[in-house]
Amino acid sequence: AAARRKGASASVDEALKAGAPSELHYLAGYFAVCALSRLECLLGDYSGAVDAVSMIDLADEAEPFSRVLTCRLNLFYHCGCARLLMRKPRDAAQTFAAALAHVARLDKAGALLTLPGGDQAKKMQDRMLALLAISLVLAPAMRRSIDETTLSMLAEKYQDKHSAMERGDVNTFDEMLNFACPKFVVPSVPDYATPINESANQLKLQARIFREDMERQKHVSSIRSFLKLYTSIGL
């Protein structure tokens, strides 16, 4: 913890040298960038969500986000979701796995529910596990880089649904996406005379686009198994 605080203060010192008037200005801007990434994801601008935090090293425990559990979880959740919907399942799986491993460590040490926002971490954990299951169906090779604890949680929670998605069941993709994705928002002014939930419509639109992509890729797993077979056959 002392090393992490030392590293965090070093990054703050670097920012102050770069022109921030004070540490407060730096931290306000830093966490505003994290919030901007979340907003861009909710608006459906996934590349904007990832670009907003491009200067933050998500693997660096000395970054200020590591000191606030809710910030860490929201940052990883929305960045991972944006990467998944940008058709970058490998990056998404890596992002979700890092956040889930951290939550598992806190839970094992009994510190999860004692931290602010710890009660919401369990709900976020279930959503990230669902999105991780989708990511691993699209990028199965990433399974080798994920720790056993996370894989055990995934098997315990979503083994049946993960198997269904591997078989190409697009309805299961829909179900998992509708459960795990954030509630997207529409930036335009709503028509108050029409009782329509535009946010729900936005989620259905994102799910439909993703479903169409899954329809095109549902035979990829069969092709992959044939390729593995062919590589094991001698000339």
Side-chain angles (χ1 to χ4, degrees), residues 38-55:
R38 177 184 181 185
L39 177 61
E40 295 285 10
C41 179
L42 295 179
L43 292 173
D45 184 2
Y46 306 124
S47 60
V50 175
D51 291 343
V53 291
S54 59
M55 297 183 67

Side-chain angles (χ1 to χ4, degrees), residues 137-197:
V137 170
L138 300 176
M142 289 300 296
R143 180 180 289 271
R144 294 192 295 269
S145 62
I146 296 176
D147 65 279
E148 291 298 327
T149 303
T150 302
L151 291 177
S152 297
M153 290 192 299
L154 182 62
E156 180 182 350
K157 191 78 177 177
Y158 296 115
Q159 181 61 50
D160 294 341
K161 296 186 183 299
H162 185 264
S163 300
M165 289 188 292
E166 285 185 322
R167 294 193 299 269
D169 185 355
V170 292
N171 291 326
T172 305
F173 276 106
D174 268 356
E175 181 184 346
M176 296 284 275
L177 205 66
N178 284 320
F179 162 71
C181 270
K183 301 299 182 283
F184 297 101
V185 296
V186 181
S188 59
V189 178
D191 182 4
Y192 294 103
T194 306
I196 299 177
N197 186 349

Side-chain angles (χ1 to χ4, degrees), residues 37-44 46 74 77-82 84-85 96 124 127 131 176-185 199-200 202-204 206:
S37 176
R38 177 184 181 185
L39 177 61
E40 295 285 10
C41 179
L42 295 179
L43 292 173
Y46 306 124
N74 274 285
Y77 170 67
H78 290 93
C79 278
C81 186
L84 176 61
L85 296 176
F96 293 131
M124 190 75 78
R127 291 181 178 180
L131 294 173
M176 296 284 275
L177 205 66
N178 284 320
F179 162 71
C181 270
K183 301 299 182 283
F184 297 101
V185 296
S199 178
Q202 186 71 2
L203 177 57
K204 290 178 181 177
Q206 301 296 330

Side-chain angles (χ1 to χ4, degrees), residues 15-233:
L16 296 179
K17 291 176 183 178
S22 68
E23 181 178 343
L24 176 63
H25 285 82
Y26 168 72
L27 291 176
Y30 183 95
F31 288 109
V33 165
C34 297
L36 175 62
S37 176
R38 177 184 181 185
L39 177 61
E40 295 285 10
C41 179
L42 295 179
L43 292 173
D45 184 2
Y46 306 124
S47 60
V50 175
D51 291 343
V53 291
S54 59
M55 297 183 67
I56 296 177
D57 185 0
L58 298 183
D60 187 1
E61 287 294 321
E63 288 280 354
F65 73 77
S66 65
R67 290 179 275 171
V68 185
L69 178 62
T70 52
C71 178
R72 178 197 287 265
L73 293 182
N74 274 285
L75 179 61
F76 279 71
Y77 170 67
H78 290 93
C79 278
C81 186
R83 286 168 172 168
L84 176 61
L85 296 176
M86 287 171 65
R87 312 301 185 266
K88 294 182 177 181
R90 295 175 63 88
D91 295 340
Q94 187 177 16
T95 304
F96 293 131
L100 288 166
H102 180 71
V103 173
R105 286 193 296 269
L106 291 177
D107 194 19
K108 185 176 181 180
L112 185 60
L113 296 181
T114 64
L115 294 172
D119 54 337
Q120 296 295 319
K122 282 290 186 181
K123 297 179 181 178
M124 190 75 78
Q125 182 185 47
D126 289 344
R127 291 181 178 180
M128 287 194 287
L129 279 171
L131 294 173
L132 177 61
I134 297 175
S135 302
L136 291 181
V137 170
L138 300 176
M142 289 300 296
R143 180 180 289 271
R144 294 192 295 269
S145 62
I146 296 176
D147 65 279
E148 291 298 327
T149 303
T150 302
L151 291 177
S152 297
M153 290 192 299
L154 182 62
E156 180 182 350
K157 191 78 177 177
Y158 296 115
Q159 181 61 50
D160 294 341
K161 296 186 183 299
H162 185 264
S163 300
M165 289 188 292
E166 285 185 322
R167 294 193 299 269
D169 185 355
V170 292
N171 291 326
T172 305
F173 276 106
D174 268 356
E175 181 184 346
M176 296 284 275
L177 205 66
N178 284 320
F179 162 71
C181 270
K183 301 299 182 283
F184 297 101
V185 296
V186 181
S188 59
V189 178
D191 182 4
Y192 294 103
T194 306
I196 299 177
N197 186 349
E198 294 293 345
S199 178
N201 290 341
Q202 186 71 2
L203 177 57
K204 290 178 181 177
L205 172 62
Q206 301 296 330
R208 179 178 61 80
I209 295 172
F210 193 78
R211 180 192 179 100
E212 291 173 355
D213 194 43
M214 293 304 99
E215 286 280 3
R216 291 191 292 268
Q217 297 190 39
K218 65 181 181 180
H219 298 299
V220 170
S221 59
S222 299
I223 296 172
R224 185 183 294 115
S225 64
F226 278 116
L227 288 173
K228 288 181 179 178
L229 172 65
Y230 296 152
T231 55
S232 65
I233 298 175

